[in-house]
Amino acid sequence: MNYELLFRAGANAAMRAEKGASAAGTPEVRYALTGAKGGFARTLLAQTRLMPRLAPTLLCDLDIAGLRALCEELGYPAADLVECTTPDEVAALPQNAIGLIADVALLDPARYNILVEATGNPSIGYRCARRALQHKRHVAMVSKEVDAVAGISLAQLAAREGVVYTTADGDQPSNLIGWVSWARTLGLEVVAAGKSSEYDLIFDPATHRVTQLDESFAAPELAGLMKLGDDVRATLAARRAALNGRKTSATADYCEMAVVATSTDLIPDVELLHYPVARTAELADIYALQEDGGVLGKRGVIDVFNMLRLPDEASFAGGVFVVVRTHDAPTWALLAQKGHVVSRNGRYACMYLPYHFMGVETPISLLDAVLHGRPSGAETPRQCTILGGRASVDLPAGTVLKMGGHHHDVTGVQAVLIARNDAPRDIAPLYLAAHATLARDVKAGALLSVDDIAGYDAELLSAWQAGFAPA
């Protein structure tokens, strides 16, 4: 792995990339973008307007009218937005035009240096990325659903073609991969790494209610549980009970952590992850080994926590963290005095980045990939952890395993993370099953296998098997 990537935190990286481009007289980085009307796409397109060396050339989305309206709202000149429905129309685009297309087949590699894949569709996203790499174009993968199934295969293809396949800064996977690598470069032992879940649990002590996004509910028991106390696991269990069964995990979280695992060799401690309801200052005590009072049965794990905070406290903002072993006691005592998060026994420290800026930060990855040939993840990712699925209810043969919703859940299936060494050889990656049909009955609690499903994308399966095979 190229550890220089680890120090790309914001402006310094942008300055390096811009300086390199200017010194070499390199033309602007030109990108194609799929899923171009989505929330991530908006943040990237908005940020691009501030960066003269970066330009979109092909924007692909099924909603062309909505895409045009978005671009015009962001200040792209209407005359530069050209709708194309044929390859000839794409080929005839003026140099400074932005092609608006609804068909991914029109993503002409001659028009871009790097593809930003953000469809969220496993099959379509895989094909788009593969075609770009085969034409020696770089790929920034935003679709974690693609990466979790075919990311290793695509990285292998990129290496053969001499181009970059990378996660995208601004998304938690890329940010966390970089943060883990930063810690390891410093010689620190990473005991645990992860991120906060998407939406904070905000407890108001005046009303004894919790607000999460646009929902509010009573949780009076939390009033006496805002301190971790001496028994960490007991407090965490009580906090969980105080939420009265509300769901605090998300398929998207499992998927993102699977992507991180392939670039870091981290594995889950438990397949559903711990998902503690935690405050930032508690993370070093919680993500300690069990013999030190924490929740972990082993070291080197990936996890997600639910941020608990008061209304006037800053959010973790879906940010990322590593928990490391401390080494020199006076060093870490000094850092604790400066406000850093060190466990009460002094054996662990939590180092964190409380942000992920989506497409606002993604240009760093695009500039680094095109101008410097650097990915933000591992150059040779490895299938150490698998995103699979367990049936959450009895599922009869013929059930269509639809993928949908904000978090891309799969019908009747609970996402799980399983260390490769603990997984059966015929395990089906979760998003191979998306939109497939069950070939036979599957009992609740059973892990989906490839033989359980029919109508899946055979090429996606081949990519999965190529990545799963021993190096």
Side-chain angles (χ1 to χ4, degrees), residues 76-94:
Y76 289 92
D80 291 346
L81 304 172
V82 181
E83 297 177 28
C84 301
T85 58
T86 69
D88 288 342
E89 290 176 345
V90 172
L93 284 169

Side-chain angles (χ1 to χ4, degrees), residues 229-272:
D230 294 329
D231 191 334
V232 170
R233 280 171 279 177
T235 299
L236 295 178
R239 287 176 179 173
R240 174 74 54 195
L243 298 180
N244 295 314
R246 281 176 168 78
K247 184 175 174 64
T248 53
S249 64
T251 301
D253 291 341
Y254 291 105
C255 188
E256 289 178 342
M257 295 302 95
V259 172
V260 172
T262 64
S263 284
T264 60
D265 278 343
L266 297 170
I267 61 176
D269 193 34
V270 292
E271 66 177 45
L272 289 177

Side-chain angles (χ1 to χ4, degrees), residues 54-412:
L54 190 65
T57 59
L58 288 175
L59 301 178
C60 184
D61 198 277
L62 294 175
D63 183 1
I64 292 294
L67 178 57
R68 173 179 285 280
L70 170 62
C71 290
E72 291 183 6
E73 179 188 345
L74 292 174
Y76 289 92
D80 291 346
L81 304 172
V82 181
E83 297 177 28
C84 301
T85 58
T86 69
D88 288 342
E89 290 176 345
V90 172
L93 284 169
Q95 179 70 13
N96 294 327
I98 301 172
L100 307 183
I101 59 177
D103 185 353
V104 294
L106 298 178
L107 289 166
D108 181 1
R111 295 286 305 175
Y112 62 86
N113 308 114
I114 186 166
L115 170 69
V116 184
E117 209 308 297
T119 62
N121 184 297
S123 293
I124 293 174
Y126 167 65
R127 282 171 169 74
C128 290
R130 183 184 63 184
R131 181 182 180 222
L133 296 172
Q134 288 171 336
H135 284 82
K136 299 187 183 302
R137 295 297 182 264
H138 308 290
V139 171
M141 181 56 68
V142 177
S143 297
K144 53 190 175 290
E145 300 83 359
V146 176
D147 218 339
V149 181
I152 294 175
S153 176
L154 290 169
Q156 293 168 344
L157 174 59
R160 292 194 297 271
E161 298 293 345
V163 291
V164 171
Y165 175 81
T166 184
T167 51
D169 283 358
D171 267 1
Q172 292 104 323
S174 183
N175 291 3
L176 182 51
I177 291 164
W179 200 228
V180 169
S181 299
W182 172 84
R184 286 175 171 168
T185 300
L186 293 173
L188 298 169
E189 178 193 351
V190 176
V191 177
K195 64 162 203 163
S196 71
S197 56
E198 191 165 6
Y199 304 116
D200 296 352
L201 297 163
I202 306 170
F203 178 72
D204 187 342
T207 64
H208 288 184
R209 297 185 68 82
V210 169
T211 300
Q212 187 176 42
L213 197 56
D214 55 358
E215 180 185 9
S216 176
F217 58 90
E221 296 87 354
L222 281 178
L225 297 169
M226 297 302 286
K227 300 292 185 182
L228 195 56
D230 294 329
D231 191 334
V232 170
R233 280 171 279 177
T235 299
L236 295 178
R239 287 176 179 173
R240 174 74 54 195
L243 298 180
N244 295 314
R246 281 176 168 78
K247 184 175 174 64
T248 53
S249 64
T251 301
D253 291 341
Y254 291 105
C255 188
E256 289 178 342
M257 295 302 95
V259 172
V260 172
T262 64
S263 284
T264 60
D265 278 343
L266 297 170
I267 61 176
D269 193 34
V270 292
E271 66 177 45
L272 289 177
L273 305 183
H274 288 288
Y275 271 104
V277 177
R279 306 179 76 180
T280 301
E282 303 168 344
L283 294 176
D285 288 290
I286 291 170
Y287 287 112
L289 295 175
Q290 291 175 6
E291 57 261 37
D292 290 322
V295 302
L296 300 182
K298 53 181 172 281
R299 66 192 69 191
V301 306
I302 197 87
D303 209 78
V304 178
F305 79 97
N306 295 284
M307 176 66 177
L308 174 65
R309 65 178 176 90
L310 299 176
D312 60 352
E313 291 179 328
S315 172
F316 208 82
V320 300
F321 71 90
V322 295
V323 172
V324 303
R325 287 277 199 181
T326 58
H327 49 287
D328 178 59
T331 292
W332 291 97
L334 174 63
L335 291 171
Q337 291 171 359
K338 291 180 178 293
H340 293 288
V341 177
V342 177
S343 64
R344 292 172 294 191
N345 63 17
R347 297 173 187 169
Y348 302 86
C350 178
M351 308 166 87
Y352 60 96
L353 299 172
Y355 67 83
H356 76 292
F357 290 119
M358 299 179 67
V360 172
E361 196 177 359
T362 298
I364 300 299
S365 293
L366 307 187
L367 294 170
D368 265 343
V370 175
L371 301 178
H372 305 298
R374 299 190 299 226
S376 60
E379 294 178 359
T380 54
R382 188 178 72 89
Q383 193 74 66
C384 63
T385 297
I386 296 163
L387 175 69
R390 289 192 184 276
S392 51
V393 295
D394 289 345
L395 296 171
T399 299
V400 178
L401 301 175
K402 296 179 182 179
M403 180 186 76
H406 177 64
H407 291 123
H408 282 190
D409 299 320
V410 176
T411 303

